[in-house]
Amino acid sequence: MRVVYSDESGLGGLEAEPLTVVTAICINVDEHWDAIERELTDVIYAIPSRKLLAKGSELKGRKLFKSLRRRIPGAEEALKATLSVAIRQKVPIFFAAIDRQGFRRFRQQPILLKSATPRNAEETAFSECVRRVEQHVSAFLPKERVLWISDHGSHEPSFQAGLTRTKVNEEAWLPYSGKNVASHIVDTVYFGHSDHSLALQLADVCCSTISLWLLEKWYGWPVLATPFYEMIETQIAFGMGRPYWCTRGEKERNV
């Protein structure tokens, strides 16, 4: 049994968050969950200050990177230890990124039929992330079924719509291959609270790492997350180049 846990970033202010990113991790719970749970629990207990954790006990990528930027002791070690769990347990990571301004311009094109296009960037990113998971499972685990659990939030209707869009294999706005293939995803998207789920916390740290790396690579943000992204790069399944609808060129980086 595979369970996919997903998290998202880039749903706040457009200037501060130009990208919407959905990241998913796929866990073989029968074989790997006990080790993942034990290792993440050890990571949390080893963190020297509860101030590095959200609510005093939760791994949160945004908080850890903020602490790293402020040079707070223990933040770098906590990030490395958390991401190392995904590496050791061979957890596949999937993501999709949408340039929010570019998507808005796309939506405003008069030639488009509004009823046939995604409503917002989060639905678009989630649908594309689902498509990548579906392709992976179809290619490597064709007899498996997948249960999808996402972090709870205001985006839930968009994610439900994104899953429906992908499962029915509509002709849509992104290239899609393998029409009329039955979905491997069971039922619907279920939503949980990350403070009650170590797996959602791992997905969150991966999502923050990937989101910041994309901003550093394509938007010229100061390098912070790139070394951490490079740790998990080999775990990325179906990676992507430029975020969808992004017209910016790759920036020179001083790593």
Side-chain angles (χ1 to χ4, degrees):
M1 176 68 178
R2 262 65 177 183
V3 180
V4 169
Y5 295 88
S6 67
D7 192 72
E8 71 294 324
S9 66
L11 305 182
L14 186 61
E15 183 174 344
E17 298 180 291
L19 285 178
T20 292
V21 180
V22 173
T23 302
I25 61 174
C26 184
I27 296 177
N28 181 338
V29 292
D30 295 323
E31 296 185 13
H32 294 161
W33 173 245
D34 288 343
I36 290 172
E37 182 180 39
R38 181 178 63 254
E39 291 186 19
L40 288 175
T41 300
D42 290 344
V43 170
I44 291 172
Y45 279 117
I47 290 176
S49 171
R50 300 298 97 181
K51 293 181 180 179
L52 291 171
L53 299 168
K55 303 176 184 178
S57 61
E58 180 183 353
L59 292 164
K60 204 76 173 173
R62 181 189 291 266
K63 190 172 184 68
L64 287 172
F65 277 110
K66 184 177 181 180
S67 299
L68 179 64
R69 191 175 289 110
R70 294 178 174 178
R71 303 181 184 277
I72 296 176
E76 180 178 356
E77 292 76 11
L79 281 164
K80 287 181 177 179
T82 302
L83 295 172
S84 293
V85 175
I87 298 168
R88 279 193 300 273
Q89 299 305 323
K90 297 178 172 59
V91 176
I93 304 170
F94 308 82
F95 73 91
I98 305 297
D99 183 286
R100 297 169 69 186
Q101 285 188 329
F103 180 76
R104 285 186 177 183
R105 290 192 293 269
F106 164 77
R107 284 281 293 157
Q108 292 168 357
Q109 293 179 31
I111 194 172
L112 293 175
L113 296 174
K114 301 302 181 183
S115 61
T117 57
R119 294 171 297 177
N120 51 45
E122 53 262 37
E123 178 184 330
T124 309
F126 186 77
S127 181
E128 175 62 10
C129 191
V130 170
R131 186 177 73 88
R132 290 162 184 260
V133 173
E134 287 271 28
Q135 287 183 337
H136 178 81
V137 176
S138 294
F140 300 107
L141 304 162
K143 296 183 179 180
E144 285 282 346
R145 305 291 278 177
V146 175
L147 181 69
W148 196 298
I149 301 174
S150 180
D151 193 17
H152 172 76
S154 60
H155 53 269
E156 293 180 18
S158 295
F159 280 17
Q160 297 285 11
L163 178 62
T164 300
R165 174 179 295 278
T166 307
K167 288 181 74 171
V168 299
N169 293 344
E170 290 182 358
E171 285 289 335
W173 31 270
L174 289 174
Y176 192 84
S177 59
K179 295 181 182 177
N180 302 319
V181 175
S183 174
H184 293 271
I185 298 172
V186 175
D187 198 17
T188 186
V189 185
Y190 294 92
F191 296 91
H193 293 273
S194 59
D195 55 338
H196 297 153
S197 170
L198 288 169
L200 284 175
Q201 292 174 42
L202 179 58
D204 176 281
V205 176
C206 290
C207 188
S208 292
T209 302
I210 291 167
S211 299
L212 279 174
W213 169 74
L214 288 167
L215 290 167
E216 291 165 17
K217 179 174 183 178
W218 296 105
Y219 295 76
W221 285 33
V223 171
L224 182 69
T226 295
F228 299 94
Y229 173 83
E230 290 172 349
M231 286 181 61
I232 59 172
E233 191 169 13
T234 57
Q235 302 302 121
I236 304 291
F238 295 100
M240 66 187 302
R242 183 185 286 110
Y244 289 112
W245 292 289
C246 173
T247 58
R248 310 185 192 202
E250 184 173 358
K251 303 295 182 180
E252 291 293 331
R253 295 178 295 161
N254 297 313
V255 179

